[in-house]
Amino acid sequence: MEHNSTFPIKLVELQTLRDEATSYLKGIQWEQGGKAKNRDKSKKDDSILLYLSKANGTSKSDVVSVSKTILALKKRLLPDSVAIPLQLNQALFALQEGITMGIWLKDSYYDASGLSALVERKSTLDTSLRREYDSKMHTATAFMLHGIAYRVLYDLKPLASDDLSVMKNKFAGIPELSFMSPLKGISCLLYYYDKYLNHPEIIASDTDVINFAVVFFEAVIAEIQLRLSSLEYTETITDRTYKLEQSEFAVSGWENVFEGTAKSVEFNKIQFEEIVGNRDAKHFARRLTERMLSYDFDARKNPFQELGGFMPVFMGYGIPGTGKSMLIAAIATRLKEHCDALDIPFLFHPMPDTLISTFQGGSAEKMVQWMKPLQDPSKLIFAPIDDAENNLQERTAQGVSAGVKEVIGVFLRYTEGAYAINYGNSSIGLFTNLPEMLDKAVISRVQGRFKIDGARTIPDFIDQDYLWWRNFDKTMPNFVNMDNPKEYSFLSEQGLAKNLGEILNQSEKPTEAKVLDIYEETASKHKTTEHQFYAALYKNIQKAFPFFSSRDIRNIQSAISLRLTDFDLPEEWFKDPSHYFKKDYDTKFAMLQDLMKQNMKGLNFSDIRRQEVVRYLDNVATIADTDFKRKVEGRVHDMKVQLEAQNFFENRK
């Protein structure tokens, strides 16, 4: 976001606000709202969420003191320590500085937006001005809370653990966040912050205090981001930047540079040659790594995007046990090895298993947090979604949770549309056993797809066994007293293909009966070398498969572009990065164009187009037909059970 003006945050002005900030830390009062409070209180208080939902005592409002809670934590965690431990002190000081900053930003908004004048005339405001007063008060409170959270993250994020997954799994969300007024906003914020700190499951060590603060205030900013559309009179927030004197800290509107940061997850190291079969999948994966490595960090774009050979979203599918998880690890291994050699930052960013939340809006919040790092232009990012049908299931299916619908909504916004920023440095991989169960809109985002079918040939099965028993042979020679194949070298068939032409069963016509009928009917009226043939074919396909859309046609075009850019990057480019990877963007783009022209020799555009259209339409029909067959098989199974039960009942009578 561009900001027109920069205003200084003067240290002397902050000093005058610290006493007010300290008073909030010493004690605030808050009465929980009905939504947060009215939960089932007959159950035992054994969950964090239920704990948060209960107001203590019999009074209407609850008084809490964060500073006293910190002292209590010191006694509980480190009873022998004389002074407050460093990390507890850092967390408390960061919160004080955050509240001070939030108050300053709130006061600045009061003056810039004209809210100060409305406050002075509050008792004489008519209906219209009263509404403006209320709206500006809500925006001022939200901006203050944003400033508090943003400053706390600035101070504490560098001190937090690299892996916050354990704390995030404990965290149950913020039951409510008030924008009614600055006093209510701070009171509500500190109330739930204090309640979490007092829960023994949350804080088990002094390190947990900083980790929790980071997780909590990330959630505060995420909540504010979700509610931005409801705020009015934000012009004097979005048109300027506030910068702290003698510091790099700055607040630019609602921007959050800390959102989107993530740490790479550890993974098992696997080479492509260790995966049996799956030639199509391995070839696709190798091409993916080569394309991602071509990303230019200075230009912040990828030449393969211009050539049409880059896929921000792809899908690998197949029956269970065919190597999907191994393929994920192999892609990550190949990327990590090349990134280390080329001194490029790499992020392995799989979707977590704990994404779906029981809270309304919680799943969307977690999904936004997962998607944001994919927009970081400073590293290469591989983001696999294993068992994708769990979180991206067809929304119209019976029993699909609200959380799944929230996740899909965020996924769709961030993969196409205003939120979909992709520099050519990140790719999302959907891996599933049940592609027919994926939401149709999600599938339409897939620009490249391949089957993961595991071992299929005699050499494949020989090699699968070899990978198992060779360990016995290494540690105990002659223990495996069996004869080796006479005319086959182990793993010789598991190498990578030169191009897709070596792999594809290049059918001239569709193999799915329904698609074949449509194809032949269209071919009877138009030649396959005519552009009009494909327009008519798509129209006829759409009649048979109503979900087929313009996005599917774009996906077909992407698949054709992939074939046209299906060439190897020369080995010397990897051995000496100065030959290609270290060159400027325009030079790299020209070099790839030359390779593409060389690769086109002997290829026919119309043939490639026909083959890719046939492959894609067969795939569409297969997924749709599998879904139908699954439903039929389910009904047949139910009918058999009913019939068997009826026979059993009759015989017993």
Side-chain angles (χ1 to χ4, degrees), residues 259 363-373 410 414:
E259 186 176 27
S363 300
E365 178 184 324
K366 289 185 176 181
M367 187 61 175
V368 169
Q369 290 175 353
W370 184 76
M371 292 291 295
K372 271 292 184 180
V410 174
Y414 276 85

Side-chain angles (χ1 to χ4, degrees), residues 59-214:
S59 62
K60 290 185 178 180
S61 61
D62 199 1
V63 179
V64 299
S65 170
V66 174
S67 59
K68 288 182 179 179
T69 296
I70 292 292
L71 290 174
L73 282 174
K74 175 257 175 187
K75 292 179 181 179
R76 176 167 69 86
L77 299 175
L78 298 164
D80 297 329
S81 176
V82 176
I84 297 179
L86 178 60
Q87 290 176 310
L88 271 66
N89 197 45
Q90 287 172 325
L92 185 60
F93 180 73
L95 184 54
Q96 175 189 279
E97 292 301 287
I99 295 173
T100 303
M101 180 61 65
I103 296 171
W104 189 94
L105 292 171
K106 177 261 298 181
D107 291 346
S108 297
Y109 177 79
Y110 267 50
D111 295 338
S113 67
L115 180 55
S116 296
L118 293 175
V119 171
E120 292 176 358
R121 300 167 47 206
K122 181 180 177 182
S123 60
T124 62
L125 298 178
D126 59 22
T127 303
S128 175
L129 288 176
R130 180 70 196 194
R131 183 188 178 283
E132 180 181 339
Y133 167 84
D134 290 338
S135 294
K136 287 183 176 179
M137 190 64 72
H138 295 168
T139 300
T141 304
F143 191 43
M144 177 192 68
L145 296 176
H146 172 81
I148 293 172
Y150 196 59
R151 181 58 198 263
V152 171
L153 291 175
Y154 178 84
D155 287 336
L156 295 185
K157 192 130 187 169
L159 306 176
S161 302
D162 289 343
D163 184 5
L164 294 174
S165 59
V166 174
M167 184 59 71
K168 288 180 178 179
N169 287 337
K170 291 180 182 180
F171 185 63
I174 304 172
E176 56 184 336
L177 191 63
S178 176
F179 290 175
M180 292 298 294
S181 69
L183 178 58
K184 289 185 177 181
I186 286 182
S187 298
C188 180
L189 177 83
L190 293 181
Y191 176 82
Y192 288 108
Y193 183 76
D194 183 84
K195 286 295 182 183
Y196 266 113
L197 287 179
N198 274 293
H199 198 287
E201 291 182 21
I202 294 294
I203 306 299
S205 69
D206 53 341
T207 304
D208 285 343
V209 177
I210 287 181
N211 289 343
F212 165 70
V214 169

Side-chain angles (χ1 to χ4, degrees), residues 540-561:
N540 293 333
I541 286 290
Q542 196 175 57
K543 292 178 182 177
F545 303 96
F547 55 84
F548 185 84
S549 68
S550 295
R551 188 175 288 113
D552 290 288
I553 296 172
R554 291 198 296 272
N555 291 342
I556 291 172
Q557 293 164 354
S558 295
I560 296 168
S561 297

Side-chain angles (χ1 to χ4, degrees), residues 578-609:
S578 64
H579 286 324
Y580 171 73
F581 294 106
K582 299 298 183 181
K583 292 187 180 296
D584 63 88
Y585 178 84
D586 292 333
T587 302
K588 285 193 285 191
F589 183 62
M591 294 172 71
L592 292 178
Q593 283 183 308
D594 289 339
L595 280 180
M596 183 175 174
K597 292 174 184 176
Q598 297 172 27
N599 183 58
M600 280 296 293
K601 293 178 180 179
L603 292 176
N604 183 296
F605 178 83
S606 63
D607 288 340
I608 292 175
R609 183 180 187 183

Side-chain angles (χ1 to χ4, degrees), residues 239-254:
D239 71 345
R240 63 195 63 194
T241 294
Y242 295 104
K243 190 173 187 307
L244 180 62
E245 281 184 335
Q246 302 175 26
S247 171
E248 293 299 315
F249 178 80
V251 178
S252 298
W254 304 101

